[in-house]
Amino acid sequence: MKVLVIGSGGREHALARKIGQSERVEEVYVIRGNEAMAKEAKVIDIAENDHDAIVKFAKDNQIDLVVVGPEQPLIDGLGNRLTEAGIKTFGPNANAAQMEGSKDFAKVLMEKYNIPTAKYKTINDKAEAIAYVKAQGTPIVIKYDGLAAGKGVVVAMDDETAFDAINDFYAEEDAKVVFEEYLEGEEFSLMVFVNDDFCIPFDTIAQDHKRAFDGDNGPNTGGMGAYCPVSHISDEIIERTNNEIVYPIVEAMHKEGLNYFGILYVGAIVTAEGPKVIEFNARFGDPEAQVLLRRLETDFIDLIEAVDQKQPLDLVWRNKTICGVVLASKGYPGNYDKGTVVKGYDYQQDYIVSALKQVDGEWVTSGGRVMIALGEGLDLAEAQSNSYKLVENIKSDGLFYRTDIGNKGI
């Protein structure tokens, strides 16, 4: 079969690689992809937002399956367009993708169906927001309602940070902002493959590291590293997460007529009262996808087919721990330079690339999060050590990384 992956980042690089490993796959294409994917897929120079061109390409090339990686094309309805054209698409329709596209949409749904999550209030007015924070006090979590590439969340531990976030978020006309109670606990990421009222949750979870700097300091990012499995979060917690969050939210989406077909990312936190939802995403997490797909042995196409046919499938995982460390452009998630030379990368399988391109025979940076180094081992300490050895092999004056990815699990 022929498979088309939509996206250009590390998540899509990992997806293209995993899909290409299936004996059932004849050819993998990626739109728009990046140059580091060229040895694993055919990179097609079409913009992710050019839905007409994508549909035409899929038809002309007799694509059997499209896997949509990023959230923006899903929110914009690419899944709808492809499905209407008769092309099997793994990625939710625009209405269902509101589970990520609107924090308020997801919170309303969770409240209606008693899904455990933080208490919240959605506010459209800046003055009202300021008054609310003064009344509630800090710490408080402030979330921009729409998409913000993983950076639209501020965990405000003091009033100054909270009011700065309010000024930023309400600078946009007609802004809608969700204010949530601050939850204490350990966070983890659970991926669930969903087909309307049926789902296959991953039985391995990952732990992301959202803050830019060591010790969970600095601003929120799209993710600075991840590892799996997370051995210090018990099977009992995962079972409770499935029973109290996953299965009820799948049933809720079914009852609401969302007809969800794709991956539902459950960002959860273990509180004193049990697991609660921090957020939902309508696609694989990044960088969680990179570590999870590296560890997954089950054929990815077999998995999608099982979900499509609503057939249970026991997932098989390699007996390895995977630790991934993100190398990002200095200044990320704020302003950063592009075009910085990166040495040491030559398509090795231990790296997955988000933002590199070739200029005059050299690799240079082209975005914020640039690449991830994937170390593996029999335990997390070994995997972590191997990942940082890989990091040291990459030479560039323009990159930074956290030095504590995985420490919580050791």
Side-chain angles (χ1 to χ4, degrees):
M1 64 189 301
K2 295 180 179 180
V3 181
L4 170 61
V5 176
I6 305 297
S8 61
R11 168 183 48 228
E12 291 75 42
H13 191 177
L15 282 166
R17 178 179 294 174
K18 184 64 180 176
I19 290 166
Q21 291 169 356
S22 172
E23 293 181 357
R24 302 172 59 185
V25 173
E26 169 193 347
E27 194 75 67
V28 181
Y29 302 86
V30 60
I31 290 176
R32 157 173 301 184
N34 65 57
E35 291 178 52
M37 302 182 194
K39 294 197 175 185
E40 296 165 304
K42 289 189 176 180
V43 178
I44 308 299
D45 190 18
I46 296 174
E48 290 173 18
N49 61 0
D50 192 344
H51 294 187
D52 289 339
I54 291 173
V55 171
K56 184 178 187 304
F57 176 86
K59 282 184 170 182
D60 290 348
N61 290 274
Q62 298 179 308
I63 298 296
D64 299 291
L65 173 69
V66 177
V67 178
V68 183
E71 58 273 27
Q72 192 68 59
L74 295 169
I75 299 295
D76 293 343
L78 177 59
N80 303 62
R81 290 288 312 278
L82 288 162
T83 301
E84 289 162 4
I87 301 158
K88 176 67 69 177
T89 303
F90 189 67
N93 62 67
N95 191 34
Q98 289 184 91
M99 293 297 292
E100 175 171 6
S102 170
K103 304 292 191 297
D104 180 67
F105 178 90
K107 293 297 267 190
V108 168
L109 193 66
M110 284 186 276
E111 186 175 53
K112 180 176 179 179
Y113 289 93
N114 298 311
I115 308 296
T117 188
K119 296 175 184 176
Y120 81 103
K121 183 176 180 63
T122 301
I123 301 174
N124 297 341
D125 177 74
K126 180 179 177 179
E128 183 183 348
I130 292 171
Y132 181 79
V133 169
K134 286 181 177 178
Q136 293 294 315
T138 52
I140 194 168
V141 180
I142 306 173
K143 299 181 176 180
Y144 183 76
D145 183 58
L147 294 180
K151 300 183 285 291
V153 177
V154 174
V155 181
M157 303 305 292
D158 54 66
D159 288 359
E160 182 181 1
T161 305
F163 296 136
D164 284 347
I166 287 171
N167 287 330
D168 287 344
F169 289 162
Y170 286 98
E172 186 169 325
E173 192 175 350
D174 300 324
K176 182 188 291 186
V177 182
V178 177
F179 294 80
E180 292 185 356
E181 67 169 326
Y182 174 76
L183 298 177
E184 288 272 9
E186 190 103 29
E187 297 183 26
F188 66 93
S189 307
L190 173 63
M191 308 300 153
V192 186
F193 281 57
V194 181
N195 182 4
D196 193 23
D197 59 348
F198 174 84
C199 70
I200 298 177
F202 271 16
D203 46 6
T204 285
I205 60 174
Q207 189 166 67
D208 188 14
H209 297 65
K210 283 291 186 187
R211 298 297 190 100
F213 308 125
D214 286 5
D216 290 332
N217 291 307
N220 260 19
T221 71
M224 292 299 295
Y227 66 94
C228 72
V230 185
S231 58
H232 64 285
I233 293 180
S234 68
D235 291 341
E236 178 189 359
I237 289 295
I238 298 175
E239 184 177 2
R240 283 190 64 181
T241 304
N242 285 330
N243 291 334
E244 298 171 20
I245 295 172
V246 171
Y247 301 131
I249 199 64
V250 169
E251 182 180 5
M253 293 191 299
H254 168 67
K255 287 181 177 178
E256 294 295 315
L258 298 186
N259 193 26
Y260 199 107
F261 183 60
I263 294 165
L264 182 71
Y265 166 115
V266 181
I269 185 169
V270 185
T271 73
E273 299 170 344
K276 294 186 178 184
V277 176
I278 296 176
E279 65 176 350
F280 292 115
N281 291 333
R283 38 72 191 180
F284 255 119
D286 181 346
E288 294 97 329
Q290 289 90 310
V291 296
L292 288 165
L293 293 176
R294 175 71 170 255
R295 189 167 186 262
L296 180 68
E297 276 199 352
T298 300
D299 186 300
F300 195 78
I301 300 301
D302 288 348
L303 176 52
I304 290 180
E305 187 173 86
V307 177
D308 185 39
Q309 300 298 319
K310 297 186 178 181
Q311 295 292 325
L313 181 68
D314 291 329
L315 300 179
V316 179
W317 301 91
R318 296 172 60 221
N319 187 27
K320 294 283 188 180
T321 295
I322 313 297
C323 181
V325 178
V326 170
L327 293 91
S329 296
K330 289 180 179 178
Y332 172 82
N335 296 324
Y336 54 85
D337 292 331
K338 297 180 181 180
T340 303
V341 174
V342 173
K343 296 184 180 297
Y345 174 70
D346 189 27
Y347 301 100
Q348 301 98 317
Q349 291 288 297
D350 291 326
Y351 302 99
I352 292 179
V353 170
S354 302
L356 283 178
K357 65 179 182 179
Q358 287 195 309
V359 176
D360 297 329
E362 290 189 304
W363 290 104
V364 301
T365 60
S366 58
R369 288 186 297 169
V370 172
M371 61 198 304
I372 185 169
L374 297 178
E376 59 181 60
L378 293 176
D379 58 23
L380 180 54
E382 184 181 7
Q384 182 194 58
S385 174
N386 288 333
S387 65
Y388 280 106
K389 288 175 184 175
L390 291 164
V391 167
E392 290 171 4
N393 291 336
I394 300 299
K395 308 298 182 185
S396 176
D397 293 333
L399 300 180
F400 81 100
Y401 55 90
R402 284 181 54 163
T403 65
D404 62 347
I405 303 300
N407 277 6
K408 289 181 181 178
I410 297 176

